[in-house]
Amino acid sequence: YSSMTEYALPIEAKTLQTLLPHRYPFLLLDRVTAFEANQTLTAIKNVTMNEPFFQGHFPGFPVMPGVLITEALAQACGTLAILSEGGRNDKEIYFFAGIDNARFKRQVIPGDQLVFEVTLLQSKRGIGKFKAVAKVDGQVAAEAEIMCAKKVVG
C-alpha cells in the first residue's frame, strides 16, 4: 500500500503518481483540492497549449478531445475510491468499467482550468458508480455517470 494513509490537501501531481498508475502524457489530473472519503472529490487540470493532443486536434483550432476529458473524470473517480481506502496496493488497478449519460456542453481550450467534481453514488463488490462533472469557469464542460472496477493485477 502507499506509505501514507492521511493525505494532506492539496494533493499534488507527485503524490497522485503514488495513487494512480498513469504517467505523462496520460496522467490527466494536476491536483486534488478537496476530498471526503466515500463521498466527493474535487480535482483540477490546467490545460496548456503544450498538451500533445493539440497538434492534431485541431490544427489552428485547439480543442481538448472529449474522450480525454472523460478519461480525466474517470481518473478523478478512481482517485476518490483509492483515497477512500487509504491508498493503493501496487497490485490493484481501477479500470474504467462503464459510462452512462455522457454529455459535452462546452469546448475546452488552452488556458482553461478544468475542475472535476465527482461524487460516489454507490459501491458494490469493488465496482463504484460515480456522478462526474467537469467545469470551466463554473460552466459545465462535460458530465457523465462513470463506473470504475478494482482489479488485482500481477
Side-chain angles (χ1 to χ4, degrees):
Y1 286 89
S2 299
S3 58
M4 299 182 290
T5 54
E6 283 295 316
Y7 293 90
L9 293 172
I11 298 172
E12 305 293 338
K14 186 172 172 97
T15 303
L16 281 169
Q17 289 182 4
T18 69
L19 300 171
L20 295 171
H22 306 78
R23 296 296 178 264
Y24 177 84
F26 220 71
L27 178 58
L28 298 172
L29 304 180
D30 290 331
R31 178 181 295 152
V32 172
T33 58
F35 161 71
E36 197 173 332
N38 298 303
Q39 302 218 8
T40 64
L41 179 134
T42 303
I44 62 170
K45 172 169 181 46
N46 295 305
V47 180
T48 72
M49 194 59 201
N50 298 330
E51 309 284 354
F53 49 79
F54 284 136
Q55 288 181 28
H57 197 273
F58 299 98
F61 192 77
V63 176
M64 185 171 181
V67 294
L68 292 180
I69 298 168
T70 304
E71 170 63 25
L73 284 168
Q75 289 180 19
C77 294
T79 302
L80 172 55
I82 291 164
L83 285 173
S84 295
E85 292 186 357
R88 181 176 73 89
N89 181 314
D90 290 336
K91 295 183 188 277
E92 294 173 345
I93 293 183
Y94 283 78
F95 284 96
F96 195 155
I99 186 166
D100 291 312
N101 304 315
R103 296 288 178 267
F104 301 93
K105 303 187 177 228
R106 179 195 190 282
Q107 292 173 341
V108 177
I109 60 173
D112 284 345
Q113 182 178 71
L114 273 167
V115 177
F116 306 109
E117 299 170 351
V118 298
T119 304
L120 179 65
L121 298 175
Q122 71 181 108
S123 181
K124 287 188 207 170
R125 297 184 304 276
I127 299 174
K129 185 173 185 177
F130 303 84
K131 171 72 177 159
V133 181
K135 294 181 179 177
V136 174
D137 296 328
Q139 297 177 326
V140 174
E143 60 187 351
E145 289 179 4
I146 291 175
M147 291 192 316
C148 295
K150 179 169 58 172
K151 265 218 180 300
V152 177
V153 296

